[in-house]
Amino acid sequence: MKACFAGSKEKLLEVYPDYIRKQLSETYGLEPDFVLTQENLSTKTERARDIDYIFSTWNMPSWSAEEIKAYLPNLKAVFYAAGTVQYFAKPFLENGVRVFSAWKANGLPVAEYTFAQIILANKKYFQYVRKNPFGWMKKEKVNISLGNYKFKVGILGDGAIGSEVIDRLKTLECDIYLFSITKSAEEAEKEGIHLCSLAEIFKECDVISNHLANNPQTQKMITKELLCSMKPDATFINTGRGAQVDEKGLCIALMQEPQRTALLDVTHPEPPEFYSPLWYLPNVFMTPHIAGSLGQEVWRMADYMYKESIALTNNQDLHYEVTAEMLKTMA
């Protein structure tokens, strides 16, 4: 088997550390300096035609089915050390090229981040910090309480990340409410989860966390009406996509009830427009899309893809393959 990199050399060096590059070189003869890009594929025909495996990450080229067929005739698989493959996978699948994604590796830090925010939200950490960071010295208290026992948490979507968050929540004594388009009520009941509507989640839950799949059907799915129905001291967490939220409606909901809180790692656009109330509302806490793999966490994605390539080569069980059918519903 022969392999090469594809995409941005800078990103590839960031995601594939020295030890993974060494393994790829020893196993597949991969040369780190030979990188196929969106522009150079047609000029690398002699070497490209012998490639069996492509390893990539963010900035993977989105070649057409015709280009793949003409210039990569022996390609068997693409190993994508990042999350969503929606923007490039279909032409490869149409040519019989298998596609693998490190979606689970990329989802783990998002789940960890979300779980940490839920814990802090239930302690009313954000409300206390906003009220007075030195409130304990002045014996001032925010007139709210909850804690991490017998609380209600709503999870929107049970894909890779939503499911990971749910697994962590099961270590706490809490009621988990789930909005899902794939899980049946019977399956949810067996797992001890309440399967319910968006309306019920926003009305009943103390914390709501968005993990909906990113597709046209979920655009603006989280409406002003839902957001304004939240409890007066509820917390809304978004590590999914900003476009899934009516952000004007969110601002109205937050202005109506000052103890409501929004923890936003994503917005639409990113960052928000300079005039957006999201910058100025005291009950909004924004981070610059850091929930996903960051720093050395990105190495995990490369490690997953290298191990998956070994499994494919040796006809072993595979864990991270993306099919054409999966593209219809996955993020």
Side-chain angles (χ1 to χ4, degrees):
M1 294 289 178
K2 292 185 179 181
C4 75
F5 278 144
S8 159
K9 186 174 181 180
E10 180 182 3
K11 278 294 181 186
L12 289 162
L13 294 177
E14 175 187 341
V15 174
Y16 291 83
D18 290 342
Y19 74 94
I20 295 289
R21 296 200 298 272
K22 182 179 179 182
Q23 290 172 328
L24 290 171
S25 295
E26 292 174 350
T27 307
Y28 303 119
L30 183 144
E31 300 174 27
D33 290 330
F34 178 68
V35 180
L36 295 176
T37 67
Q38 188 74 44
E39 297 78 23
N40 75 7
L41 179 61
S42 62
T43 68
K44 306 288 184 180
T45 54
E46 186 172 344
R47 296 181 67 177
R49 72 164 64 100
D50 295 326
I51 296 299
D52 300 287
Y53 293 166
I54 280 178
F55 289 85
S56 188
T57 184
W58 296 296
N59 298 334
M60 167 70 188
S62 53
W63 295 308
S64 68
E66 292 73 22
E67 288 174 313
I68 295 166
K69 183 177 181 179
Y71 300 118
L72 296 162
N74 291 312
L75 187 64
K76 298 173 180 61
V78 173
F79 297 93
Y80 184 65
T84 181
V85 299
Q86 286 283 10
Y87 76 97
F88 73 83
K90 188 176 179 182
F92 286 98
L93 296 172
E94 289 174 351
N95 275 285
V97 178
R98 301 174 79 170
V99 176
F100 300 85
S101 165
W103 51 269
K104 188 168 185 179
N106 195 44
L108 285 174
V110 182
E112 293 165 351
Y113 184 90
T114 301
F115 184 62
Q117 287 194 318
I118 291 171
I119 295 289
L120 291 175
N122 286 327
K123 281 288 189 180
K124 300 304 178 184
Y125 168 87
F126 300 96
Q127 286 92 332
Y128 275 101
V129 168
R130 185 177 73 241
K131 174 72 175 178
N132 184 352
F134 301 103
W136 62 274
M137 295 175 66
K138 298 182 178 181
K139 300 187 184 303
E140 293 181 2
K141 289 187 177 181
V142 179
N143 188 28
I144 46 179
S145 61
L146 182 63
N148 286 290
Y149 182 70
K150 301 297 183 183
F151 66 94
K152 296 178 180 180
V153 59
I155 302 298
L156 312 184
D158 58 341
I161 297 171
S163 296
E164 288 285 346
V165 175
I166 289 171
D167 286 344
R168 284 162 173 75
L169 288 169
K170 287 178 179 178
T171 66
L172 306 175
E173 292 192 53
C174 65
D175 294 325
I176 303 172
Y177 289 65
L178 172 66
F179 173 77
S180 171
I181 61 172
T182 58
K183 193 182 294 293
S184 69
E186 292 76 16
E187 291 171 327
E189 186 176 0
K190 288 180 182 178
E191 297 177 26
I193 298 170
H194 306 289
L195 188 68
C196 52
S197 67
L198 288 174
E200 185 177 357
I201 285 178
F202 277 87
K203 182 180 178 181
E204 296 293 332
C205 290
D206 303 295
V207 181
I208 301 108
S209 185
N210 176 37
H211 306 284
L212 292 169
N214 184 34
N215 56 50
Q217 290 71 41
T218 60
Q219 300 274 310
K220 295 289 193 296
M221 181 178 277
I222 302 171
T223 64
K224 171 189 170 184
E225 289 71 27
L226 290 170
L227 293 159
C228 288
S229 72
M230 289 191 297
K231 291 181 177 181
D233 61 347
T235 301
F236 175 70
I237 302 172
N238 193 9
T239 57
R241 289 292 186 272
Q244 296 166 343
V245 180
D246 178 350
E247 291 182 342
K248 290 182 180 179
L250 175 61
C251 291
I252 292 171
L254 295 171
M255 287 186 279
Q256 285 178 349
E257 295 287 351
Q259 295 299 349
R260 284 177 179 154
T261 301
L263 310 178
L264 308 177
D265 190 56
V266 292
T267 58
H268 184 72
E270 290 185 3
E273 301 287 358
F274 74 92
Y275 52 79
S276 171
L278 294 175
W279 290 112
Y280 312 111
L281 284 169
N283 44 350
V284 174
F285 295 81
M286 288 193 292
T287 46
H289 209 140
I290 61 171
S293 296
L294 193 69
Q296 291 180 193
E297 291 171 336
V298 301
W299 299 353
R300 183 194 285 130
M301 299 188 296
D303 190 50
Y304 272 41
M305 289 299 92
Y306 173 69
K307 290 175 180 175
E308 189 80 340
S309 75
I310 295 298
L312 178 63
T313 301
N314 296 324
N315 295 313
Q316 298 169 342
D317 290 341
L318 301 168
H319 303 286
Y320 309 113
E321 185 166 9
V322 177
T323 65
E325 188 64 25
M326 290 169 64
L327 288 180
K328 296 177 183 178
T329 56
M330 73 185 304

